[in-house]
Amino acid sequence: MGLRVLTSPPVSAMSIARWILSGDGITEVGLHNPSAPLGTLEVLISAAQNEQLDHCGTNYNIERASLPNVKLAFDRWLTEIKQHPNNIGMIYFCGHGITGTRNEQILLLDDHGESENRPFETGSFDLSNTIRALCRKVEAPLYVFVDACRTYADEFGMAIGSNPDALLHDGVRTKYINTGLTHISSATDNKSAYGSSNEISRFTAALRMALTGYCGDGKPGTRDWFVNGHALSMAMPKLLDLMNRESRNSEPQLCNPYTAGTVDAPLHVINHLPIVKVEIELSPEQHCLNSHYEIRHSSDQSIAAITGGKTKGVWKAETPKGIYEVKICSQHDQEHYKNCSEHLDPPLFRLPLEVQP
């Protein structure tokens, strides 16, 4: 497996890169895929000061995310991916992006605009046509995560001859050979992506959550769960919506998952049940203070029941995927507002309940 990570600013991508190598160092083991172990990792960032990445006690200096460096890193990564069809390739980008004159997504790098006369001469590339070419060059399954805006920029659209080049060239008549593509963008057409320079962006936070156990398709006959294209495509819009609601910025952000091909090879494998975030919203809110909930697995008694409530606001809990008995009642158990069986499916289960007077 090979990965390439770019970012501007570095907070989000450094978070992804560090998790890939070692997880959080306590409960996570980082990227895990027995069928395609991590082989190469290319990391380039834009930062005011030099950044380093520690792995196994060695600090590695990280190159600047300039167009010349990106081209060299991309070529190295491509050489590795093409060596075997069972490889898995991943590209992650966090930074600035715009939409081109033909609806292609343009990503802006650290050296964008260095030439005042030719601002798109360097520091940007055409991601859309890069992916189209990759699917004609690479059999191996590919994952592409892009945390960037897709808005239109007049200074680009109105410029003469400003279209940036792709990182890879191939003809449109060349045979499409890629076996599986998962491409998830952090914004839909003409929409923005949001994040602070000092915090992990919403999309990347959702991606980290998806990769660390909040989604997965079961592998038949085993206890393994595949974090693959299908699982990620189902989970990411819901997790991003969660990040929208938790963000101080009221502007919503929508992601755009796309999958193609006949093979859905897992990017990451987890050996525990995927986790579900549970949200219970009782209204009118005054009933929250004298009510409580109990969530109990329908058949597996080894999973401890979850209880809570008696607080204002949305009640939140987490539990493994499964079918549960959900009971919500008044403080003295004299009145059941709800008592039913629910399928709690990752990444998020929301239960709005209006109490009738």
Side-chain angles (χ1 to χ4, degrees):
M1 181 185 293
L3 303 103
R4 188 165 66 92
V5 182
L6 309 173
T7 187
S8 174
V11 177
S12 293
M14 290 299 289
S15 169
I16 290 291
R18 289 187 175 115
W19 174 80
I20 287 170
L21 292 175
S22 60
D24 63 8
I26 301 173
T27 60
E28 300 172 17
V29 295
L31 188 69
H32 173 64
N33 192 334
S35 299
L38 179 63
T40 61
L41 176 65
E42 299 276 355
V43 182
L44 302 96
I45 65 167
S46 301
Q49 58 186 17
N50 294 332
E51 292 279 350
Q52 290 186 327
L53 190 61
D54 177 79
H55 182 53
C56 296
T58 301
N59 285 323
Y60 295 90
N61 292 322
I62 301 179
E63 292 182 326
R64 179 192 181 201
S66 64
L67 185 60
N69 287 342
V70 166
K71 287 180 176 179
L72 291 173
F74 178 84
D75 291 347
R76 292 192 298 264
W77 171 85
L78 182 58
T79 298
E80 294 287 337
I81 295 302
K82 291 170 66 177
Q83 287 183 0
H84 198 284
N86 290 335
N87 282 339
I88 296 175
M90 171 181 161
I91 294 176
Y92 165 89
F93 176 91
C94 180
H96 301 293
I98 58 175
T99 296
T101 55
R102 294 184 295 273
N103 206 39
E104 65 274 28
Q105 187 168 20
I106 307 301
L107 300 182
L108 309 182
L109 301 172
D110 192 42
D111 53 339
H112 170 66
E114 284 189 348
S115 169
E116 183 178 350
N117 294 329
R118 297 172 300 281
F120 288 92
E121 179 181 54
T122 186
S124 58
F125 68 92
D126 180 341
L127 174 71
S128 299
N129 283 313
T130 297
I131 295 173
R132 293 178 70 194
L134 274 174
C135 290
R136 290 160 171 80
K137 292 282 191 181
V138 176
E139 288 186 67
L142 297 172
Y143 285 84
V144 181
F145 304 103
V146 183
D147 193 352
C149 298
R150 291 185 60 93
T151 52
Y152 293 92
D154 287 342
E155 64 271 21
F156 173 76
M158 302 298 289
I160 299 172
S162 60
N163 290 347
D165 202 0
L167 295 179
L168 181 65
H169 295 169
D170 210 325
V172 293
R173 294 184 181 274
T174 305
K175 184 180 178 181
Y176 189 113
I177 65 170
N178 184 251
T179 55
L181 170 67
T182 298
H183 178 194
I184 305 181
S185 260
S186 63
T188 53
D189 187 42
N190 201 26
K191 296 295 183 180
S192 298
Y194 297 96
S196 167
S197 61
N198 299 318
E199 300 175 355
I200 297 176
S201 66
R202 294 187 209 174
F203 177 83
T204 296
L207 178 60
R208 273 287 306 264
M209 190 173 292
L211 290 170
T212 53
Y214 290 85
C215 73
D217 286 343
K219 180 183 178 182
T222 74
R223 295 185 177 183
D224 290 339
W225 294 82
F226 286 166
V227 181
N228 54 16
H230 173 263
L232 288 167
S233 296
M234 295 296 102
M236 284 298 294
K238 296 176 182 178
L239 289 172
L240 186 57
D241 179 62
L242 175 65
M243 298 301 163
N244 285 335
R245 289 185 281 115
E246 292 180 349
S247 174
R248 293 185 294 270
N249 189 324
S250 60
E251 289 291 333
Q253 180 178 337
L254 302 174
C255 70
N256 187 20
Y258 170 81
T259 59
T262 58
V263 176
D264 193 5
L267 175 65
H268 179 52
V269 180
I270 58 176
N271 55 12
H272 59 80
L273 284 169
I275 304 300
V276 186
K277 285 186 172 290
V278 181
E279 294 185 346
I280 301 173
E281 186 173 5
L282 198 63
S283 61
E285 192 176 27
Q286 60 262 29
H287 288 279
C288 293
L289 291 176
N290 59 8
S291 303
H292 65 276
Y293 67 85
E294 179 181 284
I295 303 173
R296 186 179 297 275
H297 198 279
S298 298
S299 59
D300 191 345
Q301 301 304 312
S302 67
I303 299 178
I306 302 173
T307 59
K310 299 182 181 180
T311 59
K312 286 187 176 181
V314 178
W315 296 335
K316 298 182 180 182
E318 293 189 0
T319 192
K321 169 186 171 72
I323 298 176
Y324 289 79
E325 297 297 325
V326 180
K327 181 170 72 172
I328 304 171
C329 52
S330 67
Q331 185 173 1
H332 304 291
D333 289 334
Q334 296 173 348
E335 181 181 3
H336 286 78
Y337 299 139
K338 189 174 185 68
N339 189 359
C340 64
S341 179
E342 297 285 355
H343 184 197
L344 305 190
D345 200 37
L348 182 67
F349 176 83
R350 299 186 69 188
L351 179 60
L353 180 61
E354 183 176 354
V355 178
Q356 300 297 327

